[in-house]
Amino acid sequence: MEDTVYQIFLAGGWLMWPLLICSIIVVAISIERFITLKADRIAPSGLLTRVWQQLRDRELAGESLRELRDTSPLGYILAAGISNSGHGREIMKDSIEEAAAQVVHELERFLTLLSTIANMAPLIGLLGTVLGMIQVFADIMLFGTGNAADLAGGISQALITTAAGLTIAIPAMISHRYFERHVESLVVQLEGQATKLVDAMHSDLFRQS
């Protein structure tokens, strides 16, 4: 079985190598994003409640605030807002939005590359097929069509890169769409948590406490 796969790979020509590299990148990115984008790592459950309690107890300042900033992306956003909460609601919101923009940029890391591979892999496969067909027709011009088996074999080899390109592109596209929607869901959670903090810190109850 392994020998057969290897022979098919070699039959596809030199363009199978960049396709192989693309497939490795897709797998690596998918694994890395799956681990990195777990909800509990981005927006830990109960973090906002703990932060609010520390604020009420006047315990969130200095080192505690730096620790919050380093705990998670949500902690980074909340810490940015808290650091500027004394300058008014709008300044606090602006600080949160700036921090959120950085977080979203990190959440979307590698997704553009994943999309690029999904679009590029079929084109590489098609190029390999075109080059293979050119070679087949060149052989026909030189040797004629007397041997149908060799002709069919040459055409099948020319189509290998297209099949390989599609085999890579389809999972890459699925993976990109999945992580894109997952990031959107995480962003909604982060925005919701940050909005609750802003509303709570600028409520009459908090100001009077």
Side-chain angles (χ1 to χ4, degrees), residues 14-200:
W14 65 272
L15 283 173
M16 292 294 286
W17 290 103
L19 287 174
L20 176 62
I21 293 172
C22 287
S23 68
I24 293 173
I25 293 174
V26 169
V27 172
I29 290 176
S30 298
I31 293 174
E32 189 275 339
R33 289 290 86 185
F34 182 79
I35 295 173
T36 302
L37 295 179
K38 287 186 176 180
D40 286 342
R41 297 187 62 168
I42 305 302
S45 177
L47 178 61
L48 181 59
T49 302
R50 293 196 300 272
V51 168
W52 178 245
Q53 186 60 51
Q54 287 178 302
L55 286 170
R56 298 284 294 180
D57 296 339
R58 311 295 191 209
E59 297 176 351
L60 194 58
E63 186 62 29
S64 297
L65 194 60
R66 285 191 290 271
E67 289 178 1
L68 173 63
R69 185 181 293 112
D70 296 335
T71 57
S72 63
L74 176 59
Y76 180 81
I77 293 173
L78 297 180
I82 293 169
S83 299
N84 294 277
S85 59
H87 301 291
R89 183 187 185 93
E90 293 305 316
I91 298 297
M92 183 180 181
K93 288 179 64 178
D94 289 342
S95 300
I96 286 177
E97 289 174 0
E98 290 178 6
Q102 297 180 35
V103 168
V104 172
H105 178 73
E106 286 299 314
L107 295 181
E108 294 177 340
R109 191 180 181 188
F110 302 131
L111 295 190
T112 299
L113 179 57
L114 204 59
S115 176
T116 300
I117 291 176
N119 292 316
M120 184 177 65
L123 297 179
I124 295 176
L126 181 59
L127 176 60
T129 295
V130 170
L131 294 177
M133 293 302 293
I134 290 173
Q135 183 61 49
V136 168
F137 285 114
D139 291 342
I140 290 175
M141 291 177 64
L142 292 174
F143 307 110
T145 59
N147 193 330
D150 288 344
L151 182 61
I155 294 174
S156 67
Q157 289 181 7
L159 294 173
I160 289 174
T161 51
T162 292
L166 292 174
T167 301
I168 295 167
I170 293 172
M173 185 176 295
I174 293 173
S175 181
H176 175 262
R177 293 289 175 83
Y178 169 78
F179 288 118
E180 189 176 48
R181 292 302 300 272
H182 186 55
V183 168
E184 290 176 359
S185 176
L186 290 172
V187 169
V188 170
Q189 291 183 44
L190 294 173
E191 289 178 347
Q193 297 286 302
T195 299
K196 288 180 181 179
L197 179 67
V198 173
D199 292 340

